[in-house]
């Protein structure tokens, strides 16, 4: 069923930093704890699962633990985890070049946090490709965040505007167009029983364990993206460090939250 093919160049936002895997795993734990589950779609049979843009493979690995009967394929531009359960397979690929799977292969196709890799104009094509490989009666689930947290202080607002200019220059979502459209993408490709749910995660120690995970996640995101801006001369290292430091205090003061949308739908039988 799987083919290992070298993907082409991409507009993926985040630098391949050694600490990026830890950041993605923290973000995964925060989201699962806040939502109480790894997915929301009411999937029945769970034998073949695909996770597109799997990153560290954490989501897929946990799906293997939850459903030992399932084969879970994690697909990404880059290599996958070196250690994983027997039911997990990693495939290199680019959803925008076509998934290397036959039509109607999977019971659940999951894609999370790809607004940092798929340009706004490419979303409808990417979602069609997810649906192509989903079996009739199978489910597609998408999860994406708002482009900026809510309840911001002045330094966080300034930092957010700076980072979003970088996001927009790559053609990625800087206006919440993807966030708002998730369920519409699924309806437009003909899925039925489409649902959308939003969850707001706290950022900061005020929000307990989830808040402190998110604080580390957001600090790492800002640090990585500011490093790039500094190397391009868009901001000095001192000014970037000052904005990041002030934004950390503002998260506590303003009780900042980060809203994430889930949308899922079933392929018609
Ligand atoms: C922000 S990470 C999210 C990882 C994972 N889904 C999670 O929720 O932890 C996005 C991942 O998507 C991958 N990616 C970006 N563009 C892609 C594309 N066109 N096709 C497949 N994977 C892609 C990146 O390499 C990265 O590992």
């Amino acid at each position: 069923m799987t083919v290992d093919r070298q993907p082409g160049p991409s507009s993926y936002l985040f630098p391949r930093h050694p600490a990026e895997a830890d950041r993605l795993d923290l973000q995964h734990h925060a989201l699962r704890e806040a939502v109480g589950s790894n997915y929301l779609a009411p999937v029945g049979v769970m034998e073949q699962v695909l996770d597109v843009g799997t990153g560290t493979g954490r989501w897929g690995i946990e799906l293997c633990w939850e459903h030992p009967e399932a084969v879970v394929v994690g697909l990404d531009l880059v290599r996958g985890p070196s250690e994983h359960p027997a039911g997990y397979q990693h495939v290199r690929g680019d959803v925008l070049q076509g998934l290397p799977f036959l039509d109607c292969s999977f019971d659940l196709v999951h894609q999370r946090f790809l607004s940092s890799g798929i340009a706004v104009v490419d979303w409808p094509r990417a979602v069609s490709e997810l649906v192509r490989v989903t079996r009739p009666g199978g489910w597609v689930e998408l999860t994406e965040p708002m482009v900026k947290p809510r309840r911001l202080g002045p330094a966080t607002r300034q930092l957010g505007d700076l980072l979003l200019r970088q996001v927009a220059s790559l053609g990625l979502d800087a206006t919440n167009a993807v966030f708002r459209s998730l369920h519409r993408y699924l309806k437009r490709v003909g899925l039925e029983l489409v649902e959308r749910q939003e969850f707001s995660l706290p950022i900061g120690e005020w929000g307990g364990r989830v808040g402190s995970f998110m604080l580390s996640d957001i600090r790492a995101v800002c640090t990585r993206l500011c490093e790039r801006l500094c190397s391009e001369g868009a901001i000095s290292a001192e000014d970037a460090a000052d904005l990041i430091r002030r934004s950390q205090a503002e998260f506590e003061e303003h009780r900042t939250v980060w809203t994430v949308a889930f949308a899922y739908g079933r392929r018609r039988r």
Side-chain angles (χ1 to χ4, degrees), residues 12 16 24 53-55 75-77 93-95 112-114 116-117:
Y12 183 50
R16 303 289 178 187
L24 289 175
T54 196
L75 176 133
D76 205 292
L77 300 172
D94 180 343
V95 64
R112 186 173 74 183
F113 301 147
L114 263 282
S116 54

Side-chain angles (χ1 to χ4, degrees), residues 37-39 41 43-49 59-72 85 87-88 108:
S37 175
N38 274 318
Y39 58 92
V43 187
V45 175
M46 186 82 90
E47 287 170 357
Q48 303 286 337
V49 178
W59 184 91
I61 288 170
E62 289 189 14
L63 255 275
C64 287
W65 294 339
E66 291 167 16
H67 298 274
E69 74 284 8
V71 171
V72 181
Y88 181 88
L108 171 63

Side-chain angles (χ1 to χ4, degrees), residues 139-153:
W139 294 81
V140 177
E141 180 158 320
L142 306 172
T143 303
E144 295 298 334
M146 281 182 111
V147 297
K148 244 198 225 179
R150 292 187 297 116
R151 307 209 291 250
L152 305 180

Side-chain angles (χ1 to χ4, degrees), residues 10 12 14 16 20 23-25 27-28 51-56 59 75-78 93-96 110-114 116-118:
S10 85
Y12 183 50
F14 294 107
R16 303 289 178 187
E20 180 64 358
R23 179 187 79 78
L24 289 175
D25 283 350
Q27 190 175 255
H28 166 82
D51 184 31
V52 173
T54 196
T56 64
W59 184 91
L75 176 133
D76 205 292
L77 300 172
V78 295
D94 180 343
V95 64
L96 296 176
H110 175 258
Q111 183 181 276
R112 186 173 74 183
F113 301 147
L114 263 282
S116 54
I118 298 175

